[in-house]
Amino acid sequence: MKSIKSKIQISMLAVVLIGSVLIGIITAFLNANGIDSMMEKTLGPATQMAADAVQWRMDKYWTALQEAAASDIFQKSLPDAPELVSVREELAARNGFLYTGKMDEAGFSSTGDSYADEEYFQQCKAAMKPFISDIMNDGQQMVFLLEVPIVIDGRFEGVVYGSISADFLTDIVVDLAMGEDGVAYVLDQKGDVIGHRDASVVEEGSNMIEAAKSDSSVADVAAVNQRMIQGETGFGAYKFYGDNKLVGFAPIGGNQSWSIAIEASQREFKSTLDQSILFTILVVMLVVIASFPVAVKVARSISNPIQACVDRLKQLSDGDLHTPTPVVTSRDETADLTQALETTIVRLNDVVQDASYHLGQMAEGDFREGLTRTYWGDFVEIEKSLRIIHNSLKDTLIQISQSAGTVSASAGQVAGGAQSLSQGATEQASAIEELSATVVDISENAKQTSIAAEEAGQFVNQAGAQLGVSVDYVKELDSAMEEIHRSSEKISKIIDTIENIAFQTNILALNASVEAARSGAAGKGFAVVADEVRNLAAKSDEAAKATKGLIENSINAIAEGSRLMGKVTEALDKTSIFAGNVTVKMNTVVEDVENQNAAISQVTEGIDQISSVVQVTSITSQESASTSQALSDQSQLMNELVGRFQLK
């Protein structure tokens, strides 16, 4: 990852480099375009001036020949007439011709030779207009032959001709050359070079249009030359001999279909541009080198404070709120950054210290002091959370304190009730044991009574003989019945006691349920135990009532037995009279005694059930008492724990 310092350095150097390069490129481009524009503006007028100069020079030749063709001597004299010789010589000397002469209508000239088949003669005769021949070598030099027709009454009567040296074109183009590598040249209507500073080019008949047909490398030159022979005026460019050329061209007016071009070397004229580019590159390098220490200084002035802030933020992320914030002497944004960081750390430190202080107070159990400081921004949420925690814990502890007191008091009451219930259940169990023993005795007596009744039935037939013994037995039977009657009354009292115990147990269980309900969640287990005790008390009451009913039946049966025994006693006096009825009566007694024995068995089973229920009630009461005591102990412990907190 690149640092800000390196980014700033690279960015500044890149901006300087790119800016300098762009300036250099734009400058070079503008200079190049300026040079091209200047060359175009320069070559165009220069070429036109050169064309006008050549035309002016040629017009002098044409004018002289036209005046000669209009003179009488040339019209009337034969080509080889002696009088014409001096005129021809004077004409040539005065106007710069190499020589002059006349051809008649058949093509015979002043030299005596016939030129009837020459193209220039044929063209001049056919058009009856001035005509110039192609450049040709007359054996000594390269020349042009100018012909002006002699027309009399509309008839072609011959031509006046004059020969001029092609060197005058060379002289003109040499003076027109721009720079050491620049040239000027003249083309005829066929594209042949007829004027050039290099005479060999003219002598060889250089023609780029024809050369381009076999050499594509000169196609651009041929294209410009093609425009020239078509009489265009313009500006062009091509590459020739490895050098880019700029060329301006213009047609040469008059009777000749020539065109002149001035060619300049871009390399030569743009050499100053190359120097400018080299100078620009040098300047760019110097600017970059000079910008480097500036970029380093600027980068350090920005990156060093930022790095210092980053290091301080790393310390802050590790929980360091005490290390001083770095100091920046500048007055830019880095100073604002460090100032903002310092403000952030100070405010964060205030929030942390305040939150730590209040949380420490709460950890020590002191809830008397509330939050008084106001936080900023998003720290307001921390303030709200601390207030909510403080108030919620304080309110909860107050409620717990109040509930603990209530639970402790209720637990004490429940514990007392449970102890009373346990004691009553123990007494009830003891009474049931006594009742069970009594019923066992009654059962034994009932069995003996049954045996005695059976024996009485066996000895009824001997009643008459043993009447005295029977009277004794009847007395004993009467006493036993009285004893059974008394035992039945005792059983009835015991049953009342059991009902009373069951009623008290039910009341105690109801009170325990009420106290457990007051204890809330802490008394739910005790409420279940109280409900179980109440159910057992109800079952005890039901069993006692059933036992009471059985015992009342037994008492009624015993009363009936007593009544019958009275009758037996009365009947014994009349034994002799009612002896025959004794057997029947004794059978009745036996049946009643058996019924009594069965009722006593049912009473025994009921008492066994009551004993089992009472034992369960006793165990449950003991457990309830133990649970109530534990609840009371826990309530006391809760009061002690809540008492550690300091509340308003």
Side-chain angles (χ1 to χ4, degrees):
M1 181 179 64
K2 294 182 178 179
S3 63
I4 294 177
K5 180 169 68 176
S6 61
K7 288 181 179 179
I8 293 174
Q9 293 174 357
I10 293 173
S11 299
M12 289 186 64
L13 293 176
V15 169
V16 171
L17 180 60
I18 293 173
S20 301
V21 170
L22 287 177
I23 291 173
I25 292 174
I26 293 172
T27 302
F29 177 76
L30 293 176
N31 289 337
N33 286 341
I35 291 174
D36 291 342
S37 177
M38 180 191 69
M39 292 299 296
E40 183 176 359
K41 293 178 179 179
T42 302
L43 288 176
T47 304
Q48 188 62 51
M49 290 175 64
D52 293 340
V54 173
Q55 181 182 353
W56 176 80
R57 182 76 175 269
M58 291 300 296
D59 286 346
K60 288 176 61 179
Y61 294 130
W62 289 118
T63 300
L65 292 179
Q66 288 174 348
E67 290 177 351
S71 64
D72 291 339
I73 191 170
F74 276 95
Q75 289 182 355
K76 295 178 179 179
S77 299
L78 295 174
D80 56 354
E83 65 272 16
L84 195 58
V85 173
S86 59
V87 176
R88 290 189 293 111
E89 291 176 355
E90 182 183 0
L91 177 63
R94 186 176 65 247
N95 295 287
F97 290 105
L98 295 176
Y99 53 85
T100 60
K102 177 182 177 181
M103 296 179 188
D104 60 14
E105 69 275 11
F108 288 98
S109 70
S110 298
T111 61
D113 298 321
S114 175
Y115 296 96
D117 296 332
E118 295 295 335
E119 180 184 4
Y120 51 83
F121 179 78
Q122 296 292 334
Q123 290 288 345
C124 185
K125 181 179 180 179
M128 289 194 296
K129 291 181 179 180
F131 186 79
I132 187 170
S133 67
D134 296 334
I135 192 170
M136 55 186 176
N137 195 328
D138 64 354
Q140 296 180 354
Q141 59 183 335
M142 303 299 294
V143 298
F144 295 102
L145 192 65
L146 285 66
E147 297 93 9
V148 175
I150 300 173
V151 179
I152 301 174
D153 297 332
R155 298 189 311 273
F156 178 75
E157 297 293 340
V159 297
V160 176
Y161 64 87
S163 175
I164 61 175
S165 174
D167 291 341
F168 87 95
L169 292 178
T170 300
D171 296 337
I172 292 175
V173 297
V174 167
D175 295 335
L176 293 175
M178 301 182 68
E180 295 180 358
D181 295 331
V183 296
Y185 58 88
V186 181
L187 300 181
D188 63 10
Q189 69 273 15
K190 295 180 180 179
D192 294 335
V193 178
I194 58 175
H196 197 278
R197 69 179 181 181
D198 187 357
S200 62
V201 175
V202 178
E203 292 173 357
E204 292 173 359
S206 176
N207 189 319
M208 291 299 170
I209 296 175
E210 295 296 328
K213 295 179 180 179
S214 58
D215 185 2
S216 60
S217 64
V218 296
D220 293 340
V221 181
V224 173
N225 291 349
Q226 187 68 40
R227 293 173 61 190
M228 291 174 63
I229 65 176
Q230 291 176 357
E232 294 184 15
T233 300
F235 183 82
Y238 50 74
K239 189 172 184 179
F240 192 62
Y241 289 117
D243 187 11
N244 293 323
K245 306 290 186 178
L246 297 176
V247 58
F249 51 88
I252 299 174
N255 296 319
Q256 57 282 336
S257 299
W258 293 349
S259 179
I260 188 170
I262 299 177
E263 179 185 282
S265 172
Q266 283 188 339
R267 180 174 58 194
E268 181 179 4
F269 279 89
K270 290 185 179 180
S271 60
T272 56
L273 177 62
D274 296 336
Q275 295 176 358
S276 175
I277 293 174
L278 291 175
F279 180 74
T280 302
I281 293 173
L282 180 61
V283 170
V284 168
M285 295 177 63
L286 293 176
V287 169
V288 171
I289 294 173
S291 300
F292 183 75
V294 176
V296 171
K297 184 176 181 180
V298 172
R300 286 178 179 174
S301 66
I302 296 175
S303 64
N304 289 346
I306 293 176
Q307 184 61 45
C309 290
V310 170
D311 295 338
R312 184 63 187 89
L313 286 172
K314 289 181 179 179
Q315 294 173 346
L316 180 62
S317 66
D318 294 333
D320 184 358
L321 295 173
H322 302 289
T323 300
T325 306
V327 179
V328 177
T329 57
S330 64
R331 298 182 180 179
D332 54 12
E333 287 80 358
T334 56
D336 296 338
L337 175 62
T338 55
Q339 183 63 37
L341 177 59
E342 182 178 5
T343 302
T344 300
I345 294 174
V346 169
R347 292 187 176 182
L348 183 60
N349 191 22
D350 291 343
V351 171
V352 171
Q353 288 183 354
D354 188 65
S356 177
Y357 170 75
H358 288 289
L359 289 175
Q361 291 292 101
M362 286 189 281
E364 294 176 358
D366 187 356
F367 287 85
R368 293 172 297 177
E369 182 179 356
L371 276 74
T372 58
R373 178 172 294 181
T374 301
Y375 294 174
W376 305 272
D378 292 338
F379 291 129
V380 173
E381 297 299 325
I382 298 178
E383 178 190 355
K384 292 180 180 178
S385 300
L386 286 175
R387 290 184 185 276
I388 291 172
I389 292 172
H390 184 274
N391 295 333
S392 178
L393 286 176
K394 183 178 67 176
D395 295 342
T396 301
L397 289 172
I398 291 173
Q399 293 177 4
I400 290 174
S401 179
Q402 296 173 352
S403 299
T406 303
V407 169
S408 179
S410 300
Q413 295 177 0
V414 172
Q419 292 293 339
S420 300
L421 177 62
S422 177
Q423 184 176 0
T426 302
E427 294 175 355
Q428 185 181 15
S430 177
I432 291 297
E433 289 179 358
E434 294 177 357
L435 177 62
S436 177
T438 303
V439 171
V440 170
D441 293 339
I442 293 173
S443 178
E444 292 295 332
N445 292 331
K447 289 180 180 179
Q448 293 176 2
T449 302
S450 177
I451 294 171
E454 290 179 355
E455 290 177 353
Q458 294 175 357
F459 293 105
V460 167
N461 294 327
Q462 300 175 4
Q466 298 179 353
L467 184 59
V469 176
S470 298
V471 171
D472 295 334
Y473 285 154
V474 170
K475 289 180 179 180
E476 292 176 357
L477 178 62
D478 184 65
S479 299
M481 293 300 292
E482 287 294 329
E483 184 66 26
I484 292 171
H485 182 71
R486 287 193 296 272
S487 298
S488 298
E489 289 177 350
K490 292 180 180 180
I491 291 171
S492 179
K493 293 178 180 180
I494 291 171
I495 294 301
D496 291 336
T497 302
I498 292 172
E499 287 180 344
N500 188 20
I501 291 171
F503 178 74
Q504 292 179 357
T505 302
N506 192 18
I507 292 174
L508 289 174
L510 181 60
N511 290 332
S513 298
V514 172
E515 295 300 329
R518 291 179 179 176
S519 299
K524 286 185 178 180
F526 188 78
V528 175
V529 175
D531 291 337
E532 187 65 24
V533 171
R534 187 167 63 251
N535 292 333
L536 293 175
K539 291 181 180 179
S540 298
D541 184 62
E542 291 175 359
K545 289 180 179 180
T547 303
K548 183 178 181 181
L550 294 175
I551 291 175
E552 286 177 354
N553 291 333
S554 298
I555 292 173
N556 293 331
I558 291 170
E560 182 66 20
S562 297
R563 186 181 63 79
L564 292 175
M565 287 303 298
K567 290 181 178 181
V568 170
T569 302
E570 292 175 357
L572 285 176
D573 294 335
K574 300 176 181 180
T575 302
S576 58
I577 300 172
F578 299 105
N581 297 326
V582 171
T583 301
V584 176
K585 295 296 183 180
M586 286 305 296
N587 289 334
T588 302
V589 170
V590 171
E591 292 178 357
D592 291 338
V593 171
E594 290 178 351
N595 290 333
Q596 183 182 8
N597 191 18
I600 292 172
S601 297
Q602 292 179 356
V603 170
T604 301
E605 292 178 357
I607 291 173
D608 290 338
Q609 293 177 357
I610 292 171
S611 178
S612 176
V613 170
V614 168
Q615 289 177 358
V616 173
T617 301
S618 177
I619 293 171
T620 304
S621 298
Q622 291 176 359
E623 293 177 352
S624 176
S626 177
T627 302
S628 298
Q629 185 61 41
L631 177 61
S632 178
D633 294 340
Q634 292 297 322
S635 299
Q636 184 63 30
L637 178 60
M638 184 184 297
N639 276 327
E640 293 176 358
L641 293 175
V642 173
R644 297 179 183 178
F645 294 97
Q646 300 178 16
L647 305 172
K648 289 184 180 180

